[in-house]
Amino acid sequence: MKTRMRFTKTGSVKFIGHLDCMRFFQKAIRRAKLDVAYSQGYSPHQLMSFASPLGVGITSDGEYLDVDFHSLPDMSKDALISYLNRFMTDEIFITELEIMPEGFKNSMSLLCAADYMVVEKKERVFPTDWKAKWESFINQPSITVMKKTKKSEKEIDIKPLILAYDFSLENFAEKTGERYPELHCEYEGESLFLQLTSGSATNIKPELVMDAFAHFCDWEYPPYSYQVHRLQMHFLSKTK
């Protein structure tokens, strides 16, 4: 039985890495005594995978986790979510749970885009008249940046990879057709909302976009002056 869970990660747990987050869920599921499926071999582990590991320091209301179970308790989805959250914390908890159909591919292989909020941690971090400058930035014929990976670096045009943007959550939701739940983000400064291409083939981080914007308008921002908050992920609907 394959499940997809959506969860929130915020507060102080934004400083724990992906492996620790995975161990957190493994231990929570064990404490809940659920009939989780394990791999075969000398070192069996729970069959779970994350759609896209969240970077250290980033908060989120739209993380996804796939977990295989042999069976689940006979209760409603809401009751099961409530039961699982008894073994979690008020900074990392499940908000949705779906039982997936046969032939379901894992979320990581289906991920195609992600929505983000980039918000000031302090007032007046963004440059003066930053919204007009952003419009000039995004209306360039191309936005060429150097993208670095662990093995190499290459020059790419990120403009086609910025799928949507806005300066208010309400307008952004209209553009993306998404309904965002209550945001668990501790900052309330000026915000930029972005939908970016995401997934194993092409993955663009909001930090790369912000660095390109800073270079465009000759803006030097202090380290850790803005918070990135992931709002949602989007998946292709293929099952086979």
Side-chain angles (χ1 to χ4, degrees):
M1 181 183 296
K2 296 182 181 294
T3 64
R4 177 190 286 175
M5 303 180 191
R6 178 177 177 174
F7 67 93
T8 286
K9 182 181 178 186
T10 188
S12 60
V13 297
K14 70 182 180 182
F15 297 114
I16 71 169
H18 172 61
L19 292 179
D20 286 326
C21 184
M22 181 175 65
R23 294 185 189 104
F24 172 88
F25 276 95
Q26 290 171 340
K27 292 176 181 179
I29 289 172
R30 285 203 300 270
R31 287 195 298 269
K33 297 182 180 180
L34 296 180
D35 190 14
V36 65
Y38 281 82
S39 64
Q40 303 299 311
Y42 291 105
S43 181
H45 57 271
Q46 293 180 21
L47 295 178
M48 66 168 55
S49 64
F50 291 76
S52 180
L54 195 65
V56 174
I58 300 175
T59 56
S60 178
D61 279 305
E63 296 306 287
Y64 285 86
L65 167 69
D66 299 332
V67 186
D68 287 15
F69 294 95
H70 292 300
S71 63
L72 285 171
D74 185 15
M75 59 178 70
S76 69
K77 290 180 184 178
D78 288 344
L80 183 55
I81 291 170
S82 178
Y83 173 70
L84 275 167
N85 283 337
R86 287 168 52 190
F87 304 95
M88 299 194 184
T89 74
D90 58 358
E91 292 185 332
I92 183 166
F93 54 90
I94 296 168
T95 56
E96 297 175 13
L97 185 149
E98 293 292 333
I99 297 174
M100 307 309 292
E102 288 296 323
F104 160 73
K105 288 187 174 181
N106 65 40
S107 300
M108 182 180 294
S109 66
L110 298 176
L111 180 63
C112 60
D115 301 342
Y116 297 92
M117 176 173 69
V118 180
V119 57
E120 294 175 312
K121 288 186 177 181
K122 297 180 180 179
E123 292 184 2
R124 292 182 294 278
V125 169
F126 291 169
T128 303
D129 199 21
W130 72 274
K131 293 180 181 179
K133 290 178 180 177
W134 172 268
E135 295 288 358
S136 299
F137 166 74
I138 204 67
N139 286 324
Q140 297 177 95
S142 64
I143 304 173
T144 303
V145 301
M146 189 66 68
K147 185 181 180 184
K148 297 181 180 180
T149 65
K150 291 181 179 179
K151 297 182 179 179
S152 64
E153 60 180 32
K154 62 179 180 179
E155 197 174 73
I156 62 170
D157 179 11
I158 63 172
K159 182 173 180 178
L161 309 179
I162 303 174
L163 306 177
Y165 74 90
D166 211 286
F167 309 119
S168 80
L169 183 61
E170 182 179 358
N171 292 339
F172 185 67
E174 289 184 6
K175 290 180 178 180
T176 61
E178 187 66 37
R179 183 184 64 82
Y180 302 104
E182 178 187 359
L183 300 187
H184 297 87
C185 186
E186 56 198 86
Y187 302 104
E188 298 181 353
E190 290 280 327
S191 300
L192 173 65
F193 298 89
L194 297 167
Q195 184 176 93
L196 306 177
T197 301
S198 189
S200 55
T202 306
N203 189 67
I204 297 300
K205 296 181 179 180
E207 295 92 335
L208 184 66
V209 177
M210 294 304 292
D211 286 346
F213 176 49
H215 179 74
F216 172 80
C217 56
D218 196 25
W219 163 45
E220 292 187 12
Y221 56 86
Y224 315 112
S225 60
Y226 63 81
Q227 177 68 41
V228 175
H229 183 78
R230 185 144 63 188
L231 299 164
Q232 178 60 296
M233 295 189 205
H234 301 274
F235 303 95
L236 301 172
S237 57
K238 298 177 182 178
T239 57
K240 295 184 179 179

